[in-house]
Structure formats: structure tokens, C-alpha cells
Amino acid sequence: MGYLSDIEIARAATKRPILEIGAALGIPPEALLPFGHDKAKITADFIANIETRPAGKLILVTAINPTPAGEGKTTTTVGLGDGLNAIGKRAAVCIREASLGPCFGMKGGAAGGGRAQVVPMEDINLHFTGDFHAITSAHNLLAAMIDNHIYWGNELDIDPRRVTWRRVMDMNDRALREVVASLGGVSNGYPRQTGFDITVASEVMAILCLARDLEDLRARLGEIIIGYTRAKAPVTARDLKADGAMAVLLAQALLPNLVQTLEYTPAFVHGGPFANIAHGCNSVMATRTALRLADFVVTEAGFGADLGAEKFLDIKCRQAGLAPDAVVIVATVRALKMNGGVTKDALGSENVEAVRHGCANLGRHIANVKSFGLPVVVAINHFVTDTEAEVRAVQEFVAGHGSEAILCRHWAEGSAGITELATRVAEIAERGAAQFDFLYPDDMPLFEKMETIAKRIYRADEVVADASIRERLEVWEKAGYGHLPICMAKTQYSFTTDPARRGAPTGFPIPIREVRLAAGAGFIVAICGEIMTMPGLPRVPAAETIGFDARGEIHGLF
Amino acid sequence: MGYLSDIEIARAATKRPILEIGAALGIPPEALLPFGHDKAKITADFIANIETRPAGKLILVTAINPTPAGEGKTTTTVGLGDGLNAIGKRAAVCIREASLGPCFGMKGGAAGGGRAQVVPMEDINLHFTGDFHAITSAHNLLAAMIDNHIYWGNELDIDPRRVTWRRVMDMNDRALREVVASLGGVSNGYPRQTGFDITVASEVMAILCLARDLEDLRARLGEIIIGYTRAKAPVTARDLKADGAMAVLLAQALLPNLVQTLEYTPAFVHGGPFANIAHGCNSVMATRTALRLADFVVTEAGFGADLGAEKFLDIKCRQAGLAPDAVVIVATVRALKMNGGVTKDALGSENVEAVRHGCANLGRHIANVKSFGLPVVVAINHFVTDTEAEVRAVQEFVAGHGSEAILCRHWAEGSAGITELATRVAEIAERGAAQFDFLYPDDMPLFEKMETIAKRIYRADEVVADASIRERLEVWEKAGYGHLPICMAKTQYSFTTDPARRGAPTGFPIPIREVRLAAGAGFIVAICGEIMTMPGLPRVPAAETIGFDARGEIHGLF
């Protein structure tokens, strides 16, 4: 098709020195800790000093339910940032860091695509500035201290059968999902069954992404519940005196990372919690810092708007005191076709009817986001096979729902292809139309919060849960955790718990299989269906083809 | 005593920008990848470009057998570097990176002490530039690919009982020493017993430290033997196609790290393999690069000279084409007293007789190092309780062995306390007195190499090994591994395999319990006695007291 690959575009890009990117935001050189010449962390002192500045406008980018066709949410986030800069606004973007493990499985990079990318792409997809490694270390230090405590006499009377804190590794390794540890006799401890999750599933990751500063980070780490005593009382990281050392391991990782887009827009790439058992967006530190340095901050939430935007609004905004000024919902003609019943191999042919049918999914997300009091614009992320009639069908549908759908060509054209969206978003945000409110108040009972999300966002009939789950929620309410928001862990492919049900289904239940208290992160996870917290590698992992080519450039990673 | 603690001295130090430290070595700013303002990696291109420059003088710092009294080998390495600069020589030091795991157990930092330290101390003892995390990732990617290969049909016919490649973590965690993995049913794979070592024990660490460049690194990674097929044929990382992706993960970690001493001497802190099952010295990349940038390079080897110096000379120098120009053996009056039979609590009182008695240990190390054709100077690392008579006893003993022992006060005084040693070392090195040769030739049979080390260095009567071990060595010789050097894994506290036998014993056997082929690192490990490859935490781990104080400074780490 004559298009260059993402990595070819990224490599051909001329990057500006990161000190220059920082200077454009008014960050003095001594407030940047460089990592090479194209990455930097922003110092804690500088962040504390700008705390009282007025905040810029916050733009949330979310999407319809994801399909194998791809929506391009990160690409649109990056493109919109570039577009806002192109029309003369001072903008920055905030996105998540990529997990290293999946790069060696089948997933490509996570830094945008086409002409809307964040660079340096290789670094971002590999070790970057070491944040995830620090999280892995802090998480596993706590795990080691738990088993060590039991080994040396178990003064806290931890029930080894009720240790819920597992270990983590930033690797797709199914062999570690379930293990029996401490084998080998007296000197190695007390055998017990446990396992490993991937690092992005760690509560430490969620904590790092929700903490406002180092003090808040340490306080949250101390609240982590690692398991229960034989008398069923919770045991915390603070009880084990692990919180101080964990904070020391995490102090640098807590500082936001600054990089740039292909068009030199400052990009904060920081934190990356799972979007199912956690809240799935970049760090509060990055978003808050960016808002004090730029007039417009474009950020994204994981998965579709039913999960990602809802958590962004009800968890992250609630905890961090944030409120978006406008929301962009990304859709593609292809993904809408799939929501309209077309299979992946038939996506190449025009099918206006299927597009119209699939728009039901988009329509529900528009209505949901508006119910938070937020103005919505739809971005149609253009793909080469889209026909004019298909695009028009989406625009007509969205107009009928009182919003506007704007065709964006940032993937192929960079900022030049997205100025219309940028202009419209800037207008809406500057007009101050948003009247943001949470979906539910803090003091609503926990089960009722789950019902509210399920009925008002997913449009389920009911929430089904065993008596044991309801009892557990009551215990937590009595223990003082009733004010926490809910983090729904559900398939991202459907409003229901069945990944195959696309579109906008009604008349279904949401069964809650399990609830978990993430006391440090500050939310309660409601698990609906199978949630995988340690991926495996495919039959032929990407790792087999990753390496250096003759020119010393990495191949196979993207 | 009026002395400041190491951390107080380090914090009070004024560091120079790392670009300035690099400039003093003639490294242009674009050849440095900064990590903050006080750490940098040197680019591969620059290293390749200086390859043909003449090498400076190489000074090895080693020691008598370690005792709980402490010898101060790193402190002396750093001090001697500062001392050489103080007398007008252009010097750099090369030392190992610290392992993060043990910092949370009981061990303090590993960056020198007193007025002879490398800074930034906190960073060096925590994540530093992420090298160990990269090694952990590369090691564990290979492990995941092994189990993944078996899971998807085991085309290579790997015998799951004969997988020797374990996993690693940079943490003291005894619970992971022996585990059964892949539990939980069909989707998680085939259960098998395995375990974790600490990262510094990884063969990947040894490989990174012995590789000359990225190409050599990848070739060595490919040679790693991960286990055996059901037909008992070795399976390599290359067979699993893991070597390319591992090299990608390690490429940045392979670049030497540049920091500075308290007196602004450039310090290369890079790599840190175990000194028992591996060779225990900093990377070849760092040493070779430093030699092309400085006139004098001071480096250290792990443990005492019987293990550390022997491996430095027979493994590292052999593989890297290095040859020292002079060797400094560090001794302290206190450690010599312990070698002379004094217990730790009686070290405070003068005991010239015990010093004389303990000098037997020093004498044997002097003779051993001289047997490599290398000139020796003894550094008496001064401690406040040392008496004049005790120091004189050491000097007389050493003079009687045809060498010179020089009292050094670098711990208390910095370079001003070590100019005599620096002057003497410079003279010897510049005179070109060294006539270095290895202890044994490449083509000596493997078992005979072990006998040579045991008899000529340890002064054992014989090497004892089961027939199965000798057969294993013969198999390896036939398979083309007969030219490899030997890496002895033995207690560091004694010439014998009994840690309690101090001094200079004779009349003992060296029993070889096990042999291991490290085909990627390029040596054969001979294990004599229990070797711990995953430490545990003590009853009250240092982690419990580590944290931030009210001023935001780390406490408890040192």
C-alpha cells in the first residue's frame, strides 16, 4: 500500500533532545533526570513546586468495545495531542507504559502507530526507565518478607493457607501461574501453594498509578492486605514493616517519564495497570503534572468506555480530584462492522448496513459518557478500506444522538489529518460545557455500587452473587472500606460477560464470581468471569524472531 | 570516634556532572547515555572506535582470605585510583555492581567506604542503571520459552526432568529455592520441580561480564545449555531461538556504567557475577574500555586471591586478552589476627604474635600471585586500633618474602593516605616487570586443571571426585569443551573446603561434589562443598528499617 511500517516511521524520525521538549513545557534542565538523550523523569521537587498552578483542560480518549479489527485509541490520543499543538494550543499527551512480557508473545508495541507515535519506540517497549522492574522488586520484596516472617516463627500468626499476596514477573510465563514454593526441607521454609501474576496485575502497580506523591505512596503500600491470621484478621504490609523499603524501591519509578511524539508534542508515558483487575490508566502523578504544564492534556483509558472510561472517572478522577473537560470516543468503520456482525475476513468489502447495525454499540457508549455530565465527540479513525458511504453512515448515526463524528487521518497524515477534531475538542473544552459527576456517591453500599455500574453502564437486568460474596462486602463495609469505589473485572469485548456478544445487548445478568479488596490501591475488585492475570506465550512466540539485524537494529519486536 | 558514617560522607560529597567526568577521560558528550546527572553508559559506537588505542596499565587488587573482620578490598581499589590521580597519573577504577537483593537482608552497600567511595551510593545499591533487571528478564525469558516449548508439543524432545535452567530473581527469597511449577491443570503446562537463584548467580550475568561486544554476547547466549533431550543430547538457547531476544533485552545492559569516586576519579561500575559459581569480577567491556581511556586502571577480584585472583587471571584475562601489570594484595591487621587464631571480640587488643602467625595466610597469597609472573605489593588497610608494632610485624614478614607492605590510610584520609602505595604501584607497573602467564594451558585435561589449581594454589594433597564426575568431564572433553578454564566454587574463608581452617593449612584433600558446564560463559564449574545460590533473609531483615526520613533521605540502607 506504499505505507511505511510503524517502526520504519519511528526510526526515520528526528527526535529533539529531551531537555528541549522539557523546556517547551517550562521545565528547567535541573528538574529533569535524563535517561539517555530522549527520555527523562521529572523531579519530585519540581512537581511539588508547581502544585498550586492552575490546571489545563483534560481530554479523555476512550473507545467502543474493542474488536480484533482494532480501534487505535493510543494512536488517536497521540494524534489529538499533535493536532492541538498544530492549531496553536499548548498540548501534552499522557499514556500508559508498555509491559515488557507481552512483547515476546504476540502483541506488538504500545506507543501509537503510523504518523501518530511516541518515540523512542524500542525503549518504551523494553526496559524504558525501569519503572516496571522497580514495581516487580517492591512487590516481590513484600512476598519474600511474608515467607521470611513465617519461617522465623510467625509472630503475627499469619495463616499460610490464607496468604493472598502472590509474586510477580514481567513475563508471559504460564508455568508460574500455580506453584508450590518452599520445598526442599527445613532450611527453605514451609511449603505452600502460591503463584505469579504478570507485573501489570500487581496491586503495587495500581498504587503507584494512583498515588499523589511519595508520602501517599508509602501510606497506600502500608495498607496492602497480604493475607489473614489464623483468627482471620487482615495482615498488612505495614504489619510486616515492608512499606518503607518498598517506598525506597519505588521512589524513582513514581516520577513521571517525559518523551515526545513524532511531532515533538511532550508525552508523559507513565504507569500501566491492568484494565480488568485494576483501573487501566496512566499515573495520577503524570496526569496532574501534565495539567500544570500544558493548556490541554490528552489522555486515554483502557479497553472500551464501559470499563476504561467508567474506571477512569469513578476511580482515578475520584481519587485524584480530576475532572475531564471533554471526551473523545474512538471508533473505526471496521470495528463497527464487526459489532454489526461481520467477520474479520469480510471487513474489506463495503457494508453500510452492518456499519449502521454496529453503531448501536457506539450509541450506548455515547449515552453512557454523557450520563457523567461530559460532552462527547466521536473520532472516526480512518482506515484505507473505509468507503465514503460507510463513514457517512457513522456520522449520520452520531448526529442523530446529538453528537458529532469527525473523520481523522492522523495515522496516515499526522497532525494535518486531525485538525478538525482538535479544533472541535478545543472549542468544547474551552466553552466549559462539562458538568462532571461520578456515577455513584462514596457512601452508596458496595453491592449497590456494582448494581449501578451493571445496570446504568452495561444495561444488565441484575447482578448475581452468592450470599458469601454479599457477606464479604458487608464485612468490608463494617471494617471501614465501604466508601471505596468498585473496579469491575469483566471481558472488554462486550457489555455482557460473554465476549462473543457484540453490539448493544440487553436482558442479561452480571454474575460476580469473586470480590477482592485492594486496600492500598483503594478499590474493590468485582470479578465477573475468568480473568487471566498471567498470560502464556503462543506456540511460536514473537521472541523467536526478535534480534538484531546486520545494521545493529532490532527486528521482530513490532 | 569522630568519624562520619559512609552515607554521611557520601551525602556531603559534591559530585561533578557525569559529562565532566567523561570529558576528563576524553569521552565526548554524545558518547554518553546519561542516567540522571551522575551516571552514564558509554555508547557501543564509541567503544568500537577506541578499540585500537594502546591499553593503559592494569592493576589488580585482591586480598587475603576474607574474615568477619573485613579487609576493605573495594575501599582500597577506590582509594588507589584516587591516589594514582593525586600523584598525577590518569587513573580510573573498575568495580562490580551491587546486587539489590542482599541490601534488604543484612549486607550493607558495595561502593567502598570512608573517604574512598564511589557515588551516587544509593543508586548504585538500588536499581542503578537497570543492568541486573535486564539480566533477570533475559534469563527468565529463556526459562519461559523452555516451558512454553514443552507445553506446545516439545518438538525438541526436551526431557522435563533434565531441564537445568532455573529462574532468577534479584531478591533474597529462600521460599523460591525449590518449587514445583506448572501446577493447576492442563492450561498451565507440565508440572516439574525447579527453582530460583539470585540474579548474580545467573549464567547470563557471567556471560554479560565476559562478552567483548554485542556479537560475542549473542553468540555466548546461544551456547547456553538449558538441559538435555530424552536421548541426553544438550539443548541450547539457540535451539529454542531465544538468543536474539535475550540479546535485545541485554544490549543496553552490556554498555559500561560510568560514575565517580568522592575525589572525581572516573569509576566504571559494571556487572557483578557470583565469585563462587562464577568468576566474580566486573565486566570485560568495562575493563577493556577503561584501559583505552586511562593510563592506569585499578580493578578488583572477588573473595581472596586463591579464588578471586586465580579466576580473574585464568578466566577473565584468558578470555579477554588482558594481563595485569601489578597486583596489590590487601590485608588488615585485624584480619591477619583472625587468621592467627584470635576471635572477633578480642581484635581490639594488641597481639603481635597472632599477627605474625596469621601472616602465613598472606605469605601464601603473595607466593601464589608471584607464580603467575606478577609483581606484588601488599596494602595494609589501616584501622584505628592497629598498633605500630603490629603494622611493623606485617611489614617485616612481607619484606622477608621479597615484597613490600605499605600502610594505607585512604579510608580516613582519601588519596592523601595512599600516595605511597600509588607511587610504588605506578613505578612497578611502568617498569614493566610483569611476565604474566596462566596457571595452566588451555589444552590440559579438565581434571588435571582442577588438580593444578588445588595443588599449586590451595596446596591440597589431592583432588577427590567420584568416577561419575570424571566421566562427565571426559564426555565434555569429547564434545569439544576440553579447552575451557575451570571455575572453582569453594568456600572463600579458607584455602581448604572447611571455612573454619584459617591461616595456611597443608595436608588436605579437595573433594569435587559436582561439575557444571557453563558453555555460554565459557568455563566449567567445579563445586566443592555447599554453595548457596539463593540467599534467605535474616530474622530481622534490613528491609524492616529501610525507609525515608523526614528530610526525604533514605535511612537504613547502609
Side-chain angles (χ1 to χ4, degrees), chain A residues 279-330:
Chain A
H279 61 292
C281 25
N282 67 261
S283 75
V284 165
M285 286 282 284
T287 306
R288 287 175 56 96
T289 303
L291 282 169
R292 268 136 199 98
L293 295 169
D295 297 327
F296 285 84
V297 173
V298 187
T299 190
E300 63 167 339
F303 294 160
D306 54 329
L307 283 168
E310 191 273 313
K311 292 181 189 186
F312 177 87
L313 299 168
D314 278 321
I315 298 176
K316 179 173 170 176
C317 288
R318 192 186 299 256
Q319 291 199 10
L322 297 170
D325 295 283
V327 177
V328 174
I329 300 180
V330 182

Side-chain angles (χ1 to χ4, degrees), chain B residues 10 12-17 21 37-38 119-121 123 260-261 264:
Chain B
T14 318
K15 284 173 290 184
R16 289 189 183 154
I21 300 293
H37 304 287
D38 49 11
V119 285
M121 190 179 178
D123 291 2
Q260 62 193 288
T261 71
Y264 317 118

Side-chain angles (χ1 to χ4, degrees), chain A residues 128-144:
Chain A
F128 198 31
T129 59
D131 296 341
F132 287 17
H133 292 314
I135 290 166
T136 304
S137 293
H139 184 115
N140 291 335
L141 173 62
L142 177 54

